[in-house]
Amino acid sequence: FGQLIPAVLMPIIPLAALAYVASGHCKAIFGKLGGREVRLMFGFALLNIVVSMSVGAIVFALTSVTPNAANAQLAELDAAGRILYFAKIIPQLFGEEVITLLPFLALLQLFTRSFGLGRKAAIIGAWLVSSVIFGLIHLPTYDWNLIQCLVIIGTARMVLTLPWIMTKNIWVSTGAHILNDWLLLGVGLLGAGLAGKV
């Protein structure tokens, strides 16, 4: 249960900062949830898995990659521990969406107001730079493997930011991110279970 505390604080702290800085406007990043939004969540989760696996296979063929320790940790937990782990992912990944979106929006403002870029160029620039930042945040998770974090994680982040760009709704990108990780962890857990029976 102690692991839930930092997971919950991860979105709360930056959202509190956003509420302080942009008083009255912080709700703008949230949108409604309907059938279209849910379909987009599943669609982008599946798209991200395909893209990540493809890019990961290329990187793996060219250089070494570091496995995510979460898969091994999850396999060692009992049923209650696994349920808590999957529950912890919800606020944690919501937090990852917040700490990606806020730099994205800040960069968008910077590129349009300070650099004089058009909206399309500014969106592309903010999309790329925020994805690089997201990849760098994951360096400790992947044993400081810079190529893996920039190429694989950064590419995955680009896919997961697309639903935000399309909908301006953080719930959609968060849902896609959660479904993506749940599916990957679930498949990894199933694979570990099958391997243990062989």
Side-chain angles (χ1 to χ4, degrees):
F1 283 103
Q3 295 180 22
L4 289 172
I5 297 172
V8 170
L9 288 176
M10 193 169 179
I12 288 177
I13 292 173
L15 283 175
L18 177 63
Y20 177 77
V21 173
S23 179
H25 299 285
C26 61
K27 292 181 180 178
I29 64 174
F30 300 95
K32 69 179 183 69
L33 273 179
R36 175 179 177 268
E37 287 74 26
V38 172
R39 288 193 296 272
L40 285 171
M41 288 178 192
F42 278 94
F44 276 100
L46 294 174
L47 174 63
N48 192 47
I49 289 172
V50 172
V51 171
S52 297
M53 299 287 256
S54 301
V55 172
I58 295 169
V59 173
F60 183 78
L62 299 174
T63 186
S64 60
V65 296
T66 304
N68 190 332
N71 290 320
Q73 293 171 1
L74 191 58
E76 294 173 359
L77 295 174
D78 59 14
R82 289 173 182 174
I83 291 170
L84 277 174
Y85 192 93
F86 276 83
K88 180 191 76 170
I89 285 176
I90 297 172
Q92 179 179 316
L93 296 184
F94 176 42
E96 289 192 7
E97 291 305 305
V98 174
I99 63 174
T100 300
L101 176 58
L102 296 187
F104 175 90
L105 293 173
L107 288 163
L108 191 59
Q109 290 287 93
L110 176 69
F111 291 152
T112 53
R113 294 188 177 183
S114 300
F115 295 172
L117 295 180
R119 182 163 179 78
K120 186 175 181 180
I123 288 173
I124 293 172
W127 183 40
L128 292 171
V129 175
S130 61
S131 297
V132 168
I133 293 170
F134 184 82
L136 294 175
I137 289 172
H138 284 75
L139 280 170
T141 303
Y142 294 97
D143 199 26
W144 303 92
N145 189 324
L146 185 62
I147 294 175
Q148 182 175 355
C149 288
L150 288 179
V151 178
I152 300 175
I153 306 301
T155 300
R157 180 65 259 172
M158 292 180 72
V159 175
L160 290 172
T161 301
L162 281 174
W164 158 257
I165 294 173
M166 289 174 58
T167 65
K168 309 296 184 293
N169 186 346
I170 197 171
W171 294 131
V172 181
S173 58
T174 299
H177 200 163
I178 292 169
L179 289 169
N180 173 84
D181 281 35
W182 275 1
L183 286 168
L184 289 175
L185 288 170
V187 169
L189 190 60
L190 181 63
L194 291 174
K197 294 178 180 179
V198 175

